[in-house]
Amino acid sequence: MRIAVPSEDDFDFEAKTLDASKVRLSDLFIGNFRKLLYVYDFGDN
């Protein structure tokens, strides 16, 4: 799963992309989901 600000210039990621303005991280940390990778600047990683 990918959470991002929607953009027409997005690459074709092989993961479902959710609109960052509509997703609450607290809603994601349920069940067995316990890790999150946060990338702020995709150009520099």
Side-chain angles (χ1 to χ4, degrees):
M1 176 186 332
R2 178 176 179 262
I3 303 170
V5 176
S7 170
E8 293 180 11
D9 297 330
D10 277 349
F11 297 99
D12 183 24
F13 290 93
E14 293 184 13
K16 180 178 180 181
T17 301
L18 303 175
D19 184 342
S21 68
K22 298 177 182 176
V23 174
R24 291 173 47 150
L25 294 179
S26 62
D27 293 337
L28 298 177
F29 286 97
I30 57 175
N32 292 330
F33 186 78
R34 297 285 181 237
K35 288 187 177 185
L36 174 74
L37 172 63
Y38 177 78
V39 179
Y40 177 77
D41 184 347
F42 290 104
D44 293 335
N45 269 346

